[in-house]
Amino acid sequence: MNRPITTLFMLMSVDGKISTGSTDALDVDQDFPHIEGVKEGLHQYYEIEQTTDLWSFNTGRVQQKMGCNEKEMPAKSPVSFVLLDNTHLTEHGVRYFCAKSKTFVLITSNPKHPAFSLHEENLHIIFQKELDLHSTLARLKNEFGCDRLTVQSGGTVNSLFLREKLFDFIDIVVAPVLIGGKDTSTLIDGTSLQSVTELNKISALKLIECATLQDSYLRLRYQVIK
């Protein structure tokens, strides 16, 4: 297989939400620690996250919400980060990930992205006028030695992986909470199917593990059936 083995690893509510609302001011990482009945078991998600692959795929939008454009420079980690971003990362945000990453790969279609003005040793830029995930994943494997990749992006980008049949495993931590809201991002968003002729774009799953965690949390692990 000419790409990394991919795993979608996410925290979601029982109704499949990966955010607490429809604006960037609302976010599970910021809001769950303040909700009684949810905050008590939240640490388990972050503990499991520490065991995921040493290559991580995310988006500039998610990381902007996490504060990378303002935070102090972090310590170096053994993890290599791949970020898809056009407009959300500032120069500080790029430097933040250069400081944090073993290898930092930025995917962008913005020829004026602030990353182009930087000359960090571990910074690599994949410029594409239109996003091509197949090509990107092949380059990650062949040029950077990425054999396994954990995806933790938003619902829209997750849908691109899904429709292109680029997920191999799904690893979901379910928090004991219902959020609601038709405009609140879910595990998989993107364009809805319109016809039975598109049913081949759906991915069936084979259950690997269903683990009951503490404080009413669940962990669900699946293999994707192509």
Side-chain angles (χ1 to χ4, degrees):
M1 185 167 61
N2 191 34
R3 64 168 179 82
I5 296 171
T6 60
T7 299
L8 175 63
F9 176 71
M10 300 290 288
L11 172 67
M12 74 177 193
S13 65
V14 172
D15 56 335
K17 306 299 184 183
I18 60 172
S19 181
T20 48
S22 61
T23 71
D24 285 352
L26 295 168
D27 181 79
V28 295
D29 291 291
Q30 299 174 21
D31 302 334
F32 276 8
H34 303 290
I35 301 175
E36 296 290 338
V38 178
K39 65 182 182 180
E40 293 81 1
L42 184 59
H43 65 93
Q44 298 167 105
Y45 166 74
Y46 297 110
E47 290 165 0
I48 295 171
E49 185 179 43
Q50 295 300 310
T51 69
T52 57
D53 299 317
L54 290 177
W55 279 85
S56 175
F57 183 101
N58 213 304
T59 67
R61 181 185 179 189
V62 170
Q63 293 305 315
Q64 180 190 46
K65 290 173 68 174
M66 296 291 291
C68 72
N69 290 333
E70 296 84 26
K71 288 181 178 178
E72 294 183 2
M73 293 298 162
K76 182 72 68 178
S77 82
V79 178
S80 294
F81 288 89
V82 182
L83 290 189
L84 174 63
D85 181 66
N86 287 327
T87 60
H88 293 91
L89 291 183
T90 64
E91 180 179 318
H92 180 93
V94 176
R95 291 188 185 278
Y96 177 91
F97 271 94
C98 288
K100 183 177 183 178
S101 308
K102 179 179 180 181
T103 300
F104 177 37
V105 180
L106 176 76
I107 307 163
T108 187
S109 60
N110 177 10
K112 297 183 179 180
H113 196 285
F116 284 107
S117 66
L118 302 180
H119 302 282
E120 300 288 342
E121 184 177 350
N122 65 339
L123 171 62
H124 305 272
I125 302 174
I126 296 177
F127 177 76
Q128 297 177 333
K129 290 184 177 180
E130 294 186 6
L131 178 64
D132 183 340
L133 282 176
H134 286 274
S135 171
T136 296
L137 293 179
R139 290 187 64 178
L140 289 177
K141 178 167 185 172
N142 296 324
E143 296 180 23
F144 302 102
C146 173
D147 292 320
R148 302 188 68 95
L149 178 69
T150 294
V151 179
Q152 293 179 276
S153 56
T156 300
V157 175
N158 289 346
S159 74
L160 300 179
F161 277 85
L162 173 70
R163 298 307 186 208
E164 294 294 327
K165 300 290 184 178
L166 293 173
F167 282 136
D168 299 298
F169 296 95
I170 310 296
D171 191 350
I172 302 299
V173 176
V174 183
V177 63
L178 292 169
I179 294 174
K182 66 182 180 66
D183 297 321
T184 301
S185 187
T186 66
L187 186 69
I188 306 287
D189 291 328
T191 303
S192 299
L193 302 184
Q194 300 291 324
S195 166
V196 294
T197 62
E198 298 179 291
L199 291 180
N200 62 332
K201 297 181 180 180
I202 294 175
S203 289
L205 308 176
K206 178 181 179 181
L207 184 65
I208 299 173
E209 178 187 18
C210 178
T212 301
L213 307 180
Q214 297 176 351
D215 300 298
S216 299
Y217 276 72
L218 293 174
R219 183 183 185 185
L220 304 175
R221 296 177 61 234
Y222 296 92
Q223 182 176 0
V224 177
I225 302 174
K226 299 297 184 185

